[in-house]
Amino acid sequence: MISQPKKLRKPNQSIDLHSHSYYSDGKLSPTELAVSASGLGVGALALTDHDSIEGLPEFMAAAKDFDPIPGVEVTALHEGREIHILGLLFLIDSSALAERLKAAREERRARLERMVKKLQVAGLALEVEDVTPDHPGGSLGRPHLAQAMIRKGLVAGFEEAFQAWLRPGRPGYEPQAAPSVPQAIEWIHDAGGAAVIAHPAKLHRNRWIREFCEMGLDGIEVWHPSQFKKDERRLLRICEEMGVIPTGGSDFHGEGRSASVLGSAQVPEETLNRLQDVTLARQGG
Ligand code: AMP
Ligand code: FE
Ligand code: FE
Ligand code: ZN
């Protein structure tokens, strides 16, 4: 089955290619996310949970009056840094992708146990059982650990949890064993999707972005709440130079988790058309 949008979108409606549900660290169910998108008049929305495509069947079914875009945000590693690679418009029934992501979620759980041990050694009263996903099949991450620390009264809020304990270099941080960037791109391509580097401005590594394009990346996330106008201009130039697609999204995790607003990214129609062309060709359409 080809994974292309059905053209439910009306002209001038917004396109948002990055959001999260409770299948990773978002607050809403895929259905609640779809209902919010409809209420806001969003024309196309991608659900891109961290290392999970488990929420997609519910999301696709719940999208009645906008184009649901199958998505995922794969965690990859490059020279010790976590790189997030978005997969878009892949075939959601790809069992190879589902299995690879299931193994990634198992590693996420193992990593979380290592992080809890480190926090215990640092003197925090916290148990692995305190850290729970928002949904039984959901992928666990540092936000769930931060939530547990807040519940136990160990920190006042998210920012303190990350800044004092969970950021790289802080006592609770542990890297996640993860695929390399070319491996993550291959996982997405094998499923017929487009691979896009998420929010790359925070890397401060233009050279890496170009290298990732040479490894087969299809696009760069240019419009993202963490990126400024000058980042957008710089990233757009790299897109033109490397011949890849500029994309964007709100990275919505639910009200209150960050300042991002669902559907707020300024993504042009051409982006979706180009993503469709690339993925249709890959899917043999
Ligand atoms: P993980 O996938 O477990 O490494 O967690 C990464 C997620 O943690 C990101 O996608 C964000 O949702 C969240 N995150 C990372 N850094 C921060 C921060 N400084 N404050 C709040 N949330 C953060
Ligand atoms: Fe997240
Ligand atoms: Fe991300
Ligand atoms: Zn994200």
PDB file of all heavy atoms in Angstrom, residues 18 20 48 50 73 199 251 253, ligand 4:
ATOM      1  N   HIS A  18       6.031  17.509  12.234  1.00  0.00           N
ATOM      2  CA  HIS A  18       6.762  17.032  13.421  1.00  0.00           C
ATOM      3  C   HIS A  18       5.888  17.212  14.664  1.00  0.00           C
ATOM      4  O   HIS A  18       5.611  18.339  15.079  1.00  0.00           O
ATOM      5  CB  HIS A  18       8.063  17.860  13.545  1.00  0.00           C
ATOM      6  CG  HIS A  18       9.038  17.358  14.555  1.00  0.00           C
ATOM      7  ND1 HIS A  18      10.378  17.709  14.521  1.00  0.00           N
ATOM      8  CD2 HIS A  18       8.890  16.547  15.638  1.00  0.00           C
ATOM      9  CE1 HIS A  18      11.010  17.137  15.545  1.00  0.00           C
ATOM     10  NE2 HIS A  18      10.126  16.435  16.233  1.00  0.00           N
ATOM     11  N   HIS A  20       4.405  14.901  18.545  1.00  0.00           N
ATOM     12  CA  HIS A  20       4.531  13.718  19.406  1.00  0.00           C
ATOM     13  C   HIS A  20       3.229  13.389  20.133  1.00  0.00           C
ATOM     14  O   HIS A  20       2.477  14.291  20.507  1.00  0.00           O
ATOM     15  CB  HIS A  20       5.638  13.934  20.450  1.00  0.00           C
ATOM     16  CG  HIS A  20       6.991  14.100  19.828  1.00  0.00           C
ATOM     17  ND1 HIS A  20       7.825  13.035  19.583  1.00  0.00           N
ATOM     18  CD2 HIS A  20       7.635  15.191  19.360  1.00  0.00           C
ATOM     19  CE1 HIS A  20       8.931  13.469  19.005  1.00  0.00           C
ATOM     20  NE2 HIS A  20       8.839  14.781  18.850  1.00  0.00           N
ATOM     21  N   THR A  48       5.285  12.041  14.691  1.00  0.00           N
ATOM     22  CA  THR A  48       6.687  11.585  14.608  1.00  0.00           C
ATOM     23  C   THR A  48       7.196  11.234  16.007  1.00  0.00           C
ATOM     24  O   THR A  48       8.033  11.942  16.566  1.00  0.00           O
ATOM     25  CB  THR A  48       7.585  12.703  14.010  1.00  0.00           C
ATOM     26  OG1 THR A  48       7.405  13.904  14.798  1.00  0.00           O
ATOM     27  CG2 THR A  48       7.235  13.008  12.565  1.00  0.00           C
ATOM     28  N   HIS A  50       9.251   9.505  19.059  1.00  0.00           N
ATOM     29  CA  HIS A  50      10.635   9.039  19.202  1.00  0.00           C
ATOM     30  C   HIS A  50      10.663   7.515  19.127  1.00  0.00           C
ATOM     31  O   HIS A  50      10.071   6.825  19.968  1.00  0.00           O
ATOM     32  CB  HIS A  50      11.211   9.455  20.558  1.00  0.00           C
ATOM     33  CG  HIS A  50      11.320  10.942  20.765  1.00  0.00           C
ATOM     34  ND1 HIS A  50      12.274  11.709  20.159  1.00  0.00           N
ATOM     35  CD2 HIS A  50      10.587  11.794  21.521  1.00  0.00           C
ATOM     36  CE1 HIS A  50      12.127  12.974  20.538  1.00  0.00           C
ATOM     37  NE2 HIS A  50      11.109  13.051  21.365  1.00  0.00           N
ATOM     38  N   GLU A  73      10.578   9.738  14.647  1.00  0.00           N
ATOM     39  CA  GLU A  73      11.827  10.474  14.911  1.00  0.00           C
ATOM     40  C   GLU A  73      12.827   9.471  15.473  1.00  0.00           C
ATOM     41  O   GLU A  73      12.725   9.066  16.630  1.00  0.00           O
ATOM     42  CB  GLU A  73      11.571  11.641  15.887  1.00  0.00           C
ATOM     43  CG  GLU A  73      12.784  12.541  16.090  1.00  0.00           C
ATOM     44  CD  GLU A  73      12.467  13.821  16.875  1.00  0.00           C
ATOM     45  OE1 GLU A  73      11.338  13.971  17.386  1.00  0.00           O
ATOM     46  OE2 GLU A  73      13.366  14.682  16.977  1.00  0.00           O
ATOM     47  N   HIS A 199      15.696  19.502  13.620  1.00  0.00           N
ATOM     48  CA  HIS A 199      16.278  20.644  14.355  1.00  0.00           C
ATOM     49  C   HIS A 199      17.805  20.643  14.384  1.00  0.00           C
ATOM     50  O   HIS A 199      18.412  20.535  15.462  1.00  0.00           O
ATOM     51  CB  HIS A 199      15.717  20.699  15.783  1.00  0.00           C
ATOM     52  CG  HIS A 199      15.608  19.359  16.481  1.00  0.00           C
ATOM     53  ND1 HIS A 199      16.701  18.617  16.829  1.00  0.00           N
ATOM     54  CD2 HIS A 199      14.538  18.628  16.865  1.00  0.00           C
ATOM     55  CE1 HIS A 199      16.310  17.493  17.413  1.00  0.00           C
ATOM     56  NE2 HIS A 199      14.997  17.469  17.432  1.00  0.00           N
ATOM     57  N   ASP A 251       7.036  20.380  16.426  1.00  0.00           N
ATOM     58  CA  ASP A 251       7.603  19.519  17.488  1.00  0.00           C
ATOM     59  C   ASP A 251       6.696  19.585  18.729  1.00  0.00           C
ATOM     60  O   ASP A 251       7.176  19.567  19.863  1.00  0.00           O
ATOM     61  CB  ASP A 251       9.033  19.936  17.833  1.00  0.00           C
ATOM     62  CG  ASP A 251       9.878  18.793  18.388  1.00  0.00           C
ATOM     63  OD1 ASP A 251       9.324  17.699  18.633  1.00  0.00           O
ATOM     64  OD2 ASP A 251      11.090  19.000  18.579  1.00  0.00           O
ATOM     65  N   HIS A 253       4.521  18.736  21.787  1.00  0.00           N
ATOM     66  CA  HIS A 253       4.516  17.626  22.755  1.00  0.00           C
ATOM     67  C   HIS A 253       3.288  17.704  23.670  1.00  0.00           C
ATOM     68  O   HIS A 253       3.189  16.944  24.626  1.00  0.00           O
ATOM     69  CB  HIS A 253       5.757  17.674  23.650  1.00  0.00           C
ATOM     70  CG  HIS A 253       7.031  17.165  23.015  1.00  0.00           C
ATOM     71  ND1 HIS A 253       7.746  17.859  22.081  1.00  0.00           N
ATOM     72  CD2 HIS A 253       7.730  16.010  23.215  1.00  0.00           C
ATOM     73  CE1 HIS A 253       8.832  17.166  21.734  1.00  0.00           C
ATOM     74  NE2 HIS A 253       8.847  16.042  22.405  1.00  0.00           N
TER      75      HIS A 253
HETATM   76 ZN    ZN B   4      10.525  15.763  18.231  1.00  0.00          ZN
END
